[in-house]
Amino acid sequence: MLAILGPGAVGGLLGAALHRAGEDVVVVARPASARRILAEGIQVRSELFGEFTAMVPVTTALPAGSAVVLAVKAYGLPDVLPQLAAARPSEVLALLNGLGHAEALGEIPGARCGSVQVEAAREDGVVIHRGRFLIVNVPADADGRIAAALRRSGVDVRVRGTEQDVLWAKYSFLAPTALLTSWADLPLGEALARDPDVARGVVDEVAAVATADGHPTTSDELDALLRRLPATMMSSLQHDVRAGGPTELEAIGGHLIVLGERHGVPVPTLERVVDDLRSRLAA
């Protein structure tokens, strides 16, 4: 059995796609969410999969020995770790943002960290999937049962080197995208144009931290990548900041500042952007 732990926008989309493809899948949710999913299913509006409702089986307890897709927000990881450890899963593929969760999951046998590239949000209980891409990246040693099931469900699964390779490949562009769209509270194209000095500073500093952490990245390459993304893209961090939290700000932005300090890389622009967002959330 496959279990989706955390059926939010990403987890809900994956769970619905797996169920529609006939996979043996269950979603694991908190009681209120479980009651809603039991009554209404997971409603999806997707440019890739179309519009449908998946009546996915739901539970509040992780089935023992299941293969687990971990799709909680980074700030929710401490709450689910005891349940995850107690269930002794056969396999775990974590799709959290950032880098810091890899260390915490190191104590769970069979847990590997991947990443997901998708623009999805949950709006009024409906999973809205924008764009025609849904890519799950897995390290070479995690191309197993979960990856196979995702492929069968129509997900583009790609194998990319080591766990850190996979995490940094996303983190390097997720961090500037999430931080700039949230700071400007604008879609990516407008956020990049609003204050070019801040945008370039964030890109330069993310590239410098990535390089110092063992994943060589140039500012020009990263800037070009951001400008190839849809100009209308908005980030989940942006949506969460608008709502007043909780957010993944510390997992995405705060961790970059920690890494900068660890490697002796100055990150004044990142500090300014993260501090501004912290102040906005505290207001």
Side-chain angles (χ1 to χ4, degrees):
M1 173 181 288
L2 297 177
I4 308 293
L5 183 51
V10 171
L13 179 60
L14 293 176
L18 287 161
H19 181 266
R20 191 173 74 160
E23 298 293 334
D24 183 16
V25 62
V26 62
V27 297
V28 184
R30 293 178 177 175
S33 295
R35 288 192 294 271
R36 177 181 55 79
I37 293 170
L38 182 63
E40 303 173 5
I42 297 176
Q43 300 174 61
V44 175
R45 294 176 190 164
S46 167
E47 294 179 29
L48 178 63
F49 297 112
E51 186 169 338
F52 67 99
T53 297
M55 300 305 295
V56 188
V58 60
T59 180
T60 57
L62 188 61
S66 55
V68 179
V69 177
L70 181 59
V72 299
K73 295 279 192 175
Y75 54 76
L77 181 60
D79 291 338
V80 301
L81 275 176
Q83 182 181 183
L84 189 61
R88 298 183 179 275
S90 58
E91 184 181 346
V92 178
L93 179 63
L95 299 177
L96 282 69
N97 289 326
L99 298 176
H101 60 282
E103 183 175 348
L105 287 167
E107 300 180 5
I108 306 294
R112 305 300 293 153
C113 296
S115 68
V116 59
Q117 294 169 237
V118 65
E119 186 177 2
R122 191 170 57 187
E123 300 175 7
D124 297 325
V126 179
V127 175
I128 307 296
H129 174 207
R130 298 180 175 90
R132 296 188 60 81
F133 65 93
L134 172 55
I135 302 168
V136 171
N137 300 294
V138 300
D141 60 356
D143 190 12
R145 177 183 172 190
I146 294 173
L150 290 173
R151 288 189 182 98
R152 290 193 296 268
S153 70
V155 178
D156 183 359
V157 179
R158 303 180 184 181
V159 180
R160 297 181 178 274
T162 69
E163 187 174 73
Q164 286 298 302
D165 290 336
V166 169
L167 293 177
W168 260 115
K170 179 177 181 179
Y171 192 34
S172 61
F173 75 83
L174 168 71
T177 298
L179 293 172
L180 289 171
T181 56
S182 302
W183 182 72
D185 197 17
L186 292 168
L188 180 59
E190 295 176 62
L192 287 167
R194 176 187 169 182
D195 189 327
D197 289 339
V198 169
R200 190 65 193 197
V202 166
V203 169
D204 287 348
E205 291 167 19
V206 170
V209 171
T211 299
D213 203 49
H215 299 272
T217 307
T218 71
S219 298
D220 288 345
E221 289 171 343
L222 183 52
D223 182 72
L225 172 58
L226 294 181
R227 295 180 190 281
R228 288 196 299 271
L229 296 174
T232 56
M233 179 176 285
M234 301 174 74
S235 67
S236 60
L237 177 63
Q238 180 180 3
H239 290 296
D240 291 341
V241 169
R242 279 183 177 180
T247 77
E248 294 184 308
L249 178 59
E250 297 308 321
I252 295 172
H255 192 67
L256 277 170
I257 294 170
V258 170
L259 289 175
E261 294 172 349
R262 183 180 301 168
H263 296 299
V265 176
V267 288
T269 314
L270 286 169
E271 289 173 346
R272 172 188 170 185
V273 168
V274 171
D275 284 345
D276 283 354
L277 290 169
R278 286 170 175 160
S279 297
R280 195 183 307 174
L281 288 165

